[in-house]
Amino acid sequence: MITSLSLPRILRVGRGAVGELGDVVTGLDLRRPLLVTDAFLAGTGAAERLMTTLREAGLQPRLFAETVPDPTTDSLGAGLDVLREHEADSVIGFGGGSPMDTAKALGLLGVQGGRMRDYKAPRANLGPALPVIAVPTTAGSGSEATQFTVITDSATDEKMLCTGPAFLPVAAVVDFELTLSMPARLTADTGVDALTHAVEAYVSRKANPFSDGLALNAIRTIGRHIRRAYADGEDIEAREAMMLAATQAGIAFSNSSVALVHGMSRPIGAHFHVAHGLSNAMLFPAVTAFSVRAAESRYADCARALGAADDSDDDAGAAGKFVAALRALCADLEVPTPQTHGIDKDTWLGLLPLMAEQALASGSPANNPLVPTADEIQDLYAQIYA
């Protein structure tokens, strides 16, 4: 079997790497980047520090700090106006998954035009697009190394998965120091997001030897460090490990795929504005319990990597321990249910048919070891509510 692999051309990884952002941009022969971020990072001064780094490298940057959580088609309009006004030759996504997703969308729309709906899966987007440089500030989404972006259609509340090399950053600057100020809740949610990426990449029907190695290593690293990072945000060793694991998991799923957890997670985010990592965490144990019988040996490998089982456990026993370990992890990280998160039960139940339809339409459930029906997806949504 031939596997097609795609990675950023340049990866700068390690403490202090963000100081080399200007060198990365100039090395790509770019001069007029648009720095895309959110109001929080602009308010802390972090965005301006990056702007200074870029100016000191002789560049002419422009700042756009109006991205929103779970970016929408409406939220892209202002960014496109600034992109064109600045005559940007590149886009820098600075932040969590939402600014990076926004940057990727702007890079494509700025060249090709049209509506984001025109580019959603199953279309594979080959380009052209402006070069994107990604600078993540959370250890979770892995978006700095993936050929995916997720944009919500403002008219329909559909979270649209858009895929293809056109969305793959040409460069990523991965500096764990940018995560040191992350609060515990965000640390937990993004950490489980990274773990979900790694596990789904490994059990996916599109898994391959390249993605397998990265996925297992990310699972192993997250298992050893996620609770530490959650308990103590200043734990340098844990923060560094989680940041590297998130990028490895991103590369893994970008070259394999995500599966049912992500397919079901996107509608939750679109309809109830739940952060992506948190909606993944809500779903992860129940979806794994549903799926495990179709790929026991693969889930058993995940269990051993996570530290939930060892070589003395047979595959069935190890896979069962993996489901239990995910439930224990989510309990330790205080992951809420939709109910405890404040979502109204009647509204939740009323949207189940639509959410199931949207989950299936995304294509991700088709990569799951056990491909669900719409009724089975509705049952899973109902299970996790309380």
Side-chain angles (χ1 to χ4, degrees):
M1 183 181 73
I2 296 173
T3 301
S4 179
L5 303 172
S6 300
L7 291 84
R9 189 188 313 169
I10 297 167
L11 278 164
R12 296 280 178 99
V13 181
R15 188 170 199 166
V18 73
E20 299 184 1
L21 177 61
D23 292 339
V24 170
V25 178
T26 56
L28 292 166
D29 199 27
L30 302 168
R31 292 290 179 268
R32 300 181 64 82
L34 177 67
L35 181 64
V36 175
T37 190
D38 56 31
F40 174 79
L41 288 169
T44 65
E48 185 54 40
R49 288 193 289 274
L50 253 64
M51 291 287 284
T52 298
T53 296
L54 295 169
R55 293 188 192 104
E56 289 176 347
L59 300 167
Q60 300 176 58
R62 176 80 179 266
L63 178 65
F64 175 71
E66 298 175 28
T67 67
V68 299
D70 296 320
T72 66
T73 50
D74 284 351
S75 74
L76 298 176
L80 276 171
D81 290 343
V82 175
L83 183 87
R84 290 165 177 151
E85 180 184 312
H86 183 54
E87 297 181 347
D89 62 6
S90 51
V91 189
I92 299 172
F94 176 50
S98 294
M100 288 189 284
D101 279 357
T102 299
K104 292 176 180 185
L106 294 178
L108 183 137
L109 292 174
V111 174
Q112 295 197 44
R115 306 170 304 161
M116 208 63 209
R117 173 164 288 279
D118 300 333
Y119 303 102
K120 75 171 188 171
R123 172 171 169 166
N125 296 284
L126 304 178
L130 293 177
V132 173
I133 299 95
V135 185
T137 61
T138 63
S141 77
S143 186
E144 66 273 9
T146 75
Q147 49 188 326
F148 306 116
T149 191
V150 179
I151 305 294
T152 299
D153 188 319
S154 299
T156 64
D157 274 342
E158 178 189 358
K159 256 193 171 183
M160 299 181 295
L161 174 65
C162 305
T163 74
F167 298 115
L168 180 68
V170 68
V173 177
V174 183
D175 187 338
F176 76 89
E177 285 190 318
L178 296 172
T179 71
L180 293 177
S181 61
M182 282 171 47
R185 180 73 266 144
L186 185 58
T187 298
D189 296 344
T190 55
V192 175
D193 191 22
L195 181 60
T196 309
H197 293 154
V199 171
E200 291 207 308
Y202 190 74
V203 303
S204 165
R205 291 168 176 258
K206 295 181 178 178
N208 58 77
F210 178 85
S211 60
D212 283 354
L214 288 164
L216 288 175
N217 194 65
I219 293 167
R220 187 175 299 110
T221 301
I222 293 167
R224 293 173 179 170
H225 296 94
I226 188 170
R227 287 177 173 87
R228 285 174 52 184
Y230 177 66
D232 178 8
E234 298 298 318
D235 185 330
I236 298 298
E237 182 182 19
R239 287 293 198 192
E240 183 173 20
M242 289 297 296
M243 192 66 155
L244 180 58
T247 298
Q248 290 175 328
I251 295 172
F253 88 80
S254 184
N255 288 285
S256 171
S257 66
V258 287
L260 182 54
V261 173
H262 276 74
M264 292 181 63
S265 177
R266 297 184 197 104
I268 296 175
H271 294 288
F272 298 102
H273 307 292
V274 177
H276 173 69
L278 179 54
S279 56
N280 276 348
M282 290 173 172
L283 288 159
F284 201 10
V287 170
T288 303
F290 167 81
S291 306
V292 73
R293 66 185 182 274
E296 274 188 351
S297 65
R298 285 255 146 183
Y299 283 108
D301 290 343
C302 294
R304 296 181 186 109
L306 190 67
D310 57 36
D311 290 341
S312 66
D313 295 292
D314 63 15
D315 284 351
K321 286 184 176 181
F322 185 62
V323 174
L326 293 184
R327 290 185 173 128
L329 177 63
C330 288
D332 290 347
L333 299 181
E334 301 177 275
V335 174
T337 65
Q339 182 181 48
T340 58
H341 191 63
I343 295 174
D344 176 72
K345 184 175 184 179
D346 289 340
T347 305
W348 176 268
L349 294 177
L351 281 169
L352 294 193
L354 176 59
M355 292 201 296
E357 176 187 335
Q358 291 175 337
L360 285 170
S362 74
S364 296
N367 303 321
N368 206 56
L370 182 61
V371 178
T373 65
D375 286 344
E376 287 171 327
I377 291 178
Q378 289 192 54
D379 287 343
L380 286 167
Y381 277 133
Q383 280 180 38
I384 71 161
Y385 176 76

